[in-house]
Amino acid sequence: MPLPEGRAWLTGSTYGRADADARPRIEDHAANPERLRELLPQAAASLAPHFDDGSVRAWSGVRWASSDRRPLVGEVGDGLWVSTAMGSRGLTFAALCGEWIAARLHGEPRPLEARLAQAIDLVRSKAAHPAKRTGL
């Protein structure tokens, strides 16, 4: 990803339930190289010098998730549609949720059977809340 300082690789790794504090934490930042060593040893070895020299910077944010951890998709007002609350599953759900909205808007066959569509329908839940915290 291009940034003003040059190219960057961004990833989210920590995941705190019911935590909306978006400040980076030293303990989260310190846990990331260890988690990387467990999951991807070769990547960890390649990145170790950058962690050691302090060039890996911490960042954090909040992953919005619904109380049942499924996306909220639907019309919230006259012509205003949302696809939100995907938590850490955005790459998995974004295209499908977008297809669902497009099919509804254009009267096309829907890409989900009724039972699955109901599982992501906005009306099943009145509010999404910031249930997860993420950071590197």
Side-chain angles (χ1 to χ4, degrees):
M1 166 179 231
L3 295 176
E5 303 85 21
R7 294 179 57 118
W9 176 54
L10 305 174
T11 184
S13 62
T14 59
Y15 205 51
R17 207 168 171 78
D19 185 355
D21 182 358
R23 292 176 294 179
R25 295 186 182 141
I26 293 170
E27 61 272 16
D28 290 343
H29 190 59
N32 289 328
E34 181 57 37
R35 186 173 296 112
L36 188 59
R37 277 190 287 279
E38 292 171 14
L39 297 172
L40 299 167
Q42 288 180 318
S46 295
L47 293 172
H50 303 289
F51 277 99
D52 294 343
D53 72 11
S55 62
V56 173
R57 296 185 320 202
W59 67 275
S60 73
V62 175
R63 297 181 195 195
W64 288 85
S66 64
S67 59
D68 62 10
R69 300 185 63 184
R70 290 177 294 187
L72 296 169
V73 182
E75 189 173 17
V76 294
D78 189 30
L80 178 61
W81 289 73
V82 298
S83 177
T84 189
M86 294 185 199
S88 63
R89 296 172 183 86
L91 289 175
T92 305
F93 281 122
L96 179 61
C97 293
E99 288 289 326
W100 173 249
I101 290 173
R104 302 249 342 247
L105 289 172
H106 297 287
E108 297 172 352
R110 297 180 180 168
L112 289 171
E113 62 184 69
R115 180 182 63 83
L116 296 175
Q118 187 176 22
I120 64 169
D121 196 304
L122 178 68
V123 298
R124 78 176 193 286
S125 173
K126 295 233 182 211
H129 57 84
K132 308 289 184 231
R133 175 185 188 284
T134 183
L136 173 72

